[in-house]
Amino acid sequence: MEQLLNYPQIQSNKIPTHVAIIMDGNGRWAKKQGLMRIFGHHKGVDAVRGAIEFAAEIGIKYVTMYAFSTENWNRPPIEVNALMKLLVDSIEKELPTLMKNGIRLKTLGNISQLPGNCAEQLFKAEEQTKNNDNTTLILALSYSGRWDITQAMKKIGNDIQNGLLDPNSITDELIGETLNTAQYPDPDLLIRTSGEQRISNFLLWEIAYSEVYFTEVLWPDFTKQHFLDAILDYQNRERRFGKTTEQIAK
Ligand code: IPE
Ligand code: IPE
Ligand code: MG
């Protein structure tokens, strides 16, 4: 594959199709420099750009980035407002990067909860990038795994009540199809930065068999080299999906 010329260490037949990233540590990064937390978020946007460029370069088809959780609404209003403004500004500013790298933008989460101009900007960017087919960038915003599972259960419950669904026909496929992530394959690799080793209500259903990679690097410091390290680590793992090594080797 020509696009891997820059990264001969990568095995081109073992590129994860979907990488999910919990971008954590912006606040601590800023604190270390004696700056306000929002500066960490600003620097974090540069790391997002590097990560999606790298993903497009090596042919990762889907990247889901956790940008704002349901629980993040409980942060001080000054930080929430600054983050929303940063989001709107960044989408506008980064559109050329998305177009240049053939990246399609999608959102995941309770977008109606975002301030009016955020939802509008996101919708515009989704429209403008919808024919890009290199990599899909899924921005998880006002998202949590439990929120998505809850809305899926409501839909399924309604269908049962309306006589459209027999409870005995509920399968794990049906639940997966009812989630807002239905159109994407499950993540192969989940990365979390900043040394925290937890999931924080990210893709709970979808990460059932994801490989998990934790790094101490704070998100604003996360470079293409760090992303490459994660990919190389992933490529050395054996994914067994409950089977034995002997079965996998066949
Ligand atoms: C991640 O960085 C970005 C968001 C949650 C929006 P944090 O803001 O959580 O940074 P830390 O964890 O406090 O360092
Ligand atoms: C998870 O990070 C959410 C995002 C990265 C958007 P948090 O910083 O909010 O998670 P906790 O509170 O440390 O678990
Ligand atoms: Mg954090």
Side-chain angles (χ1 to χ4, degrees), residues 3-247:
Q3 64 194 12
L4 291 184
L5 276 179
N6 287 338
Y7 305 101
Q9 321 91 302
I10 296 181
Q11 303 169 54
S12 58
N13 59 341
K14 267 176 119 181
I15 304 280
T17 305
H18 185 173
V19 178
I21 306 180
I22 303 176
M23 311 181 280
D24 197 15
N26 295 354
R28 276 163 285 168
W29 182 92
K31 202 171 166 191
K32 262 177 46 185
Q33 336 271 320
L35 300 169
M36 279 159 59
R37 295 178 56 84
I38 189 67
F39 286 98
H41 298 313
H42 272 269
K43 189 75 180 10
V45 176
D46 297 338
V48 172
R49 189 185 314 113
I52 56 173
E53 277 173 1
F54 178 78
E57 230 177 308
I58 73 161
I60 299 169
K61 282 308 205 188
Y62 300 90
V63 180
T64 301
M65 296 190 144
Y66 206 7
F68 195 84
S69 73
T70 305
E71 289 76 20
N72 289 150
W73 287 113
N74 298 321
R75 291 195 177 187
I78 186 163
E79 181 169 344
V80 172
N81 294 336
L83 269 168
M84 293 299 148
K85 183 168 172 356
L86 178 64
L87 174 67
V88 174
D89 294 349
S90 305
I91 294 163
E92 223 181 337
K93 224 176 95 200
E94 300 302 331
L95 248 178
T97 310
L98 299 180
M99 297 309 291
K100 193 176 122 223
N101 292 284
I103 292 159
R104 172 173 74 138
L105 180 74
K106 298 293 271 181
T107 55
L108 170 66
N110 192 356
I111 302 303
S112 62
Q113 240 188 319
L114 299 174
N117 58 338
C118 286
E120 221 173 276
Q121 285 290 341
L122 284 165
F123 182 70
K124 260 180 31 197
E126 284 190 61
E127 264 306 297
Q128 284 194 43
T129 60
K130 70 177 180 199
N131 294 323
N132 293 346
D133 60 3
N134 225 348
T135 298
T136 298
L137 167 63
I138 303 150
L139 264 193
L141 283 165
S142 192
Y143 169 84
S144 71
R146 286 186 176 181
W147 164 80
D148 203 8
I149 293 171
T150 304
Q151 67 76 31
M153 292 308 116
K154 281 185 195 157
K155 267 190 215 154
I156 290 177
N158 274 325
D159 283 355
I160 292 173
Q161 194 174 33
N162 296 329
L164 300 169
L165 182 69
D166 171 359
N168 289 315
S169 55
I170 298 176
T171 56
D172 70 7
E173 283 81 15
L174 177 82
I175 295 173
E177 281 162 19
T178 316
L179 295 171
N180 281 293
T181 50
Q183 55 187 307
Y184 314 120
D186 286 343
D188 301 291
L189 172 64
L190 170 69
I191 299 173
R192 184 172 188 147
T193 59
S194 88
E196 308 298 354
Q197 302 195 358
R198 54 177 172 259
I199 303 300
S200 301
N201 214 351
F202 200 24
L203 304 157
L204 299 178
W205 179 269
E206 299 82 349
I207 60 168
Y209 268 103
S210 305
E211 294 297 325
V212 183
Y213 179 87
F214 296 109
T215 168
E216 295 288 327
V217 175
L218 301 174
W219 178 253
D221 288 330
F222 191 82
T223 60
K224 291 184 184 187
Q225 180 61 50
H226 295 120
F227 203 162
L228 174 63
D229 292 343
I231 298 296
L232 296 177
D233 193 279
Y234 166 85
Q235 295 198 319
N236 275 324
R237 300 194 190 182
E238 181 183 62
R239 302 185 74 189
R240 288 191 289 276
F241 299 96
K243 295 183 180 171
T244 65
T245 297
E246 290 69 28
Q247 287 175 298

